[in-house]
Amino acid sequence: MSTAPIVSVRGLCKRFGTHEVLKEFDMDINPGEKLSIIGPSGSGKSTFLRILMTLEKPNAGTIEIEGKGLWHMERGGKTVPADKKHLRAMRTQVGMVFQHFNLFPHMTALQNVAMAPKQVLGLTRDEANERGQDLLERVGLGDKLDAHPNQLSGGQKQRVGIARALAMQPKVMLFDEVTSALDPELVGEVLGVLRELAHETDMTMLLVTHEMRFAQEISDRVAFMDHGQVLELDTPANIFTNPTLARTREFLNAVLES
């Protein structure tokens, strides 16, 4: 396994108007690492993922994926802002699963999963459908290939969303509070899929989550964010049982007691 980070973040800042959501932080993520990001609402966790997915543009700082700029590129020996072609190419390296599924309602589960590999990666219809069927079977939905989203439970929709992101074979997978919109009894089926991915693949995974015990179980490291900064980044054992900062202890005590 390469010792160079697969994702390298330096001086990342993001503002919405005068509100500073991310405040100049650095982070390196290793190939194959499972990194959970925890923290209170409004701490910048989801904004960080959206910048990695090129859905939000940072105000300052750099992000590199495998040494290649995400929001910047080299041209004529100079570093310049990324153009649309560069962003499209980099976007194929990152997959994201959202809180609210974002499935196309007029498409079946299989069509939802197979569409991007056909349109973006250039797979034939048969190749894309085979990949989609394999992934839907992997997430336990092999019997729902022809079901439309309105025929699926929330947990099933989220598992289709996971299969759809995996179909692009990204190098980095982002999961943004993927259980937060689910009824409590459906959370376990989605966490089960994530647990399998974490334990059985070498995929790099970043998970914003409020599921503390799940984060403790599957993560190589845990980042605690507050007020737009990464305040602690350490092993689950240290974060959850011996955090350095009083703010981290305060957050964990409040969350775990609830």
Side-chain angles (χ1 to χ4, degrees):
M1 182 177 290
S2 170
T3 56
I6 190 169
V7 178
S8 184
V9 180
R10 293 292 180 270
L12 189 64
C13 298
K14 176 63 182 177
R15 295 185 301 275
F16 292 106
T18 60
H19 179 49
E20 198 171 20
V21 180
L22 297 176
K23 300 178 181 179
E24 196 169 347
F25 72 82
D26 303 342
M27 180 186 289
D28 284 334
I29 300 162
N30 299 315
E33 184 171 19
K34 281 59 177 176
L35 174 69
S36 290
I37 305 173
I38 64 173
S41 297
S43 58
K45 307 182 301 294
S46 293
T47 299
F48 175 44
L49 292 198
R50 289 177 63 82
I51 289 173
L52 285 172
M53 193 62 200
T54 71
L55 298 174
E56 298 284 355
K57 186 177 181 179
N59 293 101
T62 62
I63 299 174
E64 293 184 348
I65 297 177
E66 290 193 326
K68 192 171 184 179
L70 180 62
W71 284 100
H72 66 278
M73 54 187 271
E74 302 300 319
R75 178 180 287 164
K78 296 182 179 180
T79 300
V80 299
D83 59 20
K84 290 183 179 179
K85 180 180 179 181
H86 181 87
L87 286 172
R88 280 197 301 270
M90 294 302 294
R91 205 170 282 141
T92 64
Q93 308 300 303
V94 184
M96 187 164 178
V97 183
F98 301 86
Q99 298 178 33
H100 296 289
F101 324 134
N102 294 350
L103 301 180
F104 293 106
H106 63 288
M107 293 184 178
T108 66
L110 180 58
Q111 289 169 337
N112 264 283
V113 175
M115 184 182 71
K118 284 188 292 186
Q119 295 188 352
V120 179
L121 301 181
L123 270 63
T124 67
R125 179 179 178 179
D126 287 346
E127 290 169 339
N129 284 345
E130 182 178 0
R131 181 179 294 185
Q133 183 170 342
D134 288 345
L135 287 168
L136 286 168
E137 289 175 354
R138 180 173 191 169
V139 299
L141 294 175
D143 60 339
K144 300 292 184 181
L145 304 181
D146 298 322
H148 285 79
N150 64 0
Q151 298 171 302
L152 300 174
S153 70
Q156 290 170 335
K157 291 176 188 177
Q158 194 56 285
R159 285 187 279 156
V160 174
I162 293 170
R164 180 178 60 179
L166 292 172
M168 293 294 290
Q169 297 183 338
K171 294 177 180 177
V172 180
M173 275 286 290
L174 313 175
F175 300 89
D176 186 16
E177 297 185 2
V178 296
T179 60
S180 64
L182 300 177
D183 292 334
E185 66 268 23
L186 301 178
V187 168
E189 66 186 67
V190 174
L191 292 183
V193 171
L194 298 184
R195 186 178 290 109
E196 179 184 334
L197 290 175
H199 291 327
E200 299 184 10
T201 75
D202 60 1
M203 180 185 306
T204 305
M205 298 169 61
L206 278 70
L207 306 96
V208 168
T209 183
H210 291 297
E211 303 287 344
M212 296 298 130
R213 290 179 176 83
F214 178 74
Q216 189 171 6
E217 174 192 350
I218 63 98
S219 304
D220 297 306
R221 290 189 299 167
V222 176
F224 172 65
M225 288 187 67
D226 196 18
H227 295 294
Q229 295 180 306
V230 178
L231 298 186
E232 289 203 56
L233 178 58
D234 209 333
T235 63
N238 286 338
I239 290 288
F240 287 103
T241 63
N242 190 31
T244 302
L245 300 179
R247 178 66 187 104
T248 312
R249 290 194 294 273
E250 177 185 282
F251 170 78
L252 289 172
N253 287 339
V255 171
L256 295 174
E257 286 175 6
S258 66

